[in-house]
Amino acid sequence: MKEFAGRIAVVTGGGSGMGRELVRQLAAEACNVAMCDVVEEGMTETRRLCQAAGLPQGLRVTMHTADASDAAQVARFRDEVAQRHGTDKLHLLFNNAGIGGGGSMFAHSREEWEKTFNICWGGVYNCTRAFLPMLQKAEEGHIVNTSSVNGFWASVGPRIPHTAYSAAKFAVKGFSEALITDLKINAPHIKCSVVMPGHIGTSIPLNSRKIQSGNLSNEMDAQQIAQASCPWVVTPPAFPMTTFARW
């Protein structure tokens, strides 16, 4: 897909980082965008940046509060997209939402581990499942799933466990590669790509802390400070971004 003007895209995790930049670049290409996030103020800033850059007349950039790991919330998000954009079609789906945490099966709780896995992997599955009928109705469509270099190499260092995030990103990579074949057989007008970013300077550490703790404030409480000081939590090494595209 090379032309974006007049099309409709869904971006998960559009309130910050890579998701925000996707929304901005799509809007700059005159593509209508529906973004979701769990932090409304982040989406408000994303939309402000789009408006400050100048939106074409009639272009829609809509905000939807939804947790991609929750199938019911994703279904509501899909229905809102159809209603607010006045369409039953979708051209682009960017499954981008993700957080860190749950690195150790020993040091971290089951709840933290599963929250990371369910957002990073479950969000991709839930949104693909929910929006696939809308993609099928468009003349062409493209699904872009964000995995990670940790979908190749499950490590951020020889003494740092990184189990939840790595397991999720391996799942995203494998699902995307298998989905390419599924689409070729059943919906050849829809393509799929999987993106494997390395270390990118986004707010994912801050967002992960907020979501894992349930404290959406920028101020850290005592427990969060202690966790941030834990030797299990480190910044991953730098790697180039790799994209596998199947056209």
Side-chain angles (χ1 to χ4, degrees):
M1 188 179 297
K2 297 181 180 179
E3 297 294 329
F4 300 99
R7 307 212 180 220
I8 302 173
V10 161
V11 178
T12 67
S16 63
M18 290 172 54
R20 173 175 289 170
E21 191 60 25
L22 282 167
V23 174
R24 292 180 64 186
Q25 291 193 26
L26 287 163
E29 294 289 333
C31 182
N32 298 287
V33 185
M35 62 174 146
C36 82
D37 208 301
V38 294
V39 182
E40 186 172 346
E41 64 180 345
M43 291 190 288
T44 300
E45 175 63 10
T46 298
R47 189 161 67 175
R48 186 196 69 78
L49 291 169
C50 291
Q51 292 170 338
L55 295 177
Q57 184 71 25
L59 191 75
R60 291 187 178 96
V61 177
T62 59
M63 307 182 334
H64 308 262
T65 303
D67 180 347
S69 70
D70 186 316
Q73 292 189 40
V74 170
R76 175 178 51 77
F77 173 36
R78 177 203 57 212
D79 293 344
E80 288 178 2
V81 172
Q83 179 183 23
R84 293 174 63 181
H85 287 260
T87 185
D88 62 351
K89 300 179 177 64
L90 180 68
H91 302 93
L92 292 153
L93 172 61
F94 292 87
N95 286 314
N96 166 79
I99 64 167
S104 170
M105 294 286 287
F106 298 88
H108 298 122
S109 69
R110 179 178 189 135
E111 180 182 24
E112 181 175 343
W113 200 103
E114 291 185 356
K115 187 178 289 289
T116 298
F117 187 82
N118 290 341
I119 291 175
C120 292
W121 153 243
V124 173
Y125 173 77
N126 286 335
C127 291
T128 301
R129 180 67 84 177
F131 285 101
L132 194 55
M134 294 180 70
L135 287 161
Q136 287 180 275
K137 291 179 180 178
E139 65 278 9
E140 65 174 330
H142 205 121
I143 301 168
V144 182
N145 296 328
T146 301
S147 179
S148 167
V149 67
N150 290 125
F152 283 128
W153 186 48
S155 176
V156 289
R159 296 182 59 81
I160 308 296
H162 199 46
T163 62
Y165 186 85
S166 296
K169 294 304 185 178
F170 267 83
V172 172
K173 177 176 178 288
F175 170 73
S176 301
E177 292 178 349
L179 183 61
I180 289 165
T181 300
D182 199 1
L183 293 170
K184 283 181 179 179
I185 296 168
N186 295 295
H189 66 296
I190 306 173
K191 310 304 179 186
C192 179
S193 301
V194 57
V195 184
M196 314 289 289
H199 182 205
I200 298 175
T202 71
S203 57
I204 189 171
L206 174 62
N207 292 339
S208 299
R209 172 182 63 76
K210 289 180 177 180
I211 294 168
Q212 290 286 7
S213 68
N215 175 15
L216 298 183
S217 169
N218 288 326
E219 299 297 323
M220 298 175 68
D221 58 30
Q223 181 179 355
Q224 291 168 331
I225 292 171
Q227 186 174 29
S229 302
C230 176
W232 304 103
V233 182
V234 299
T235 301
F239 291 92
M241 176 181 287
T242 303
T243 304
F244 287 97
R246 301 291 188 271
W247 306 95

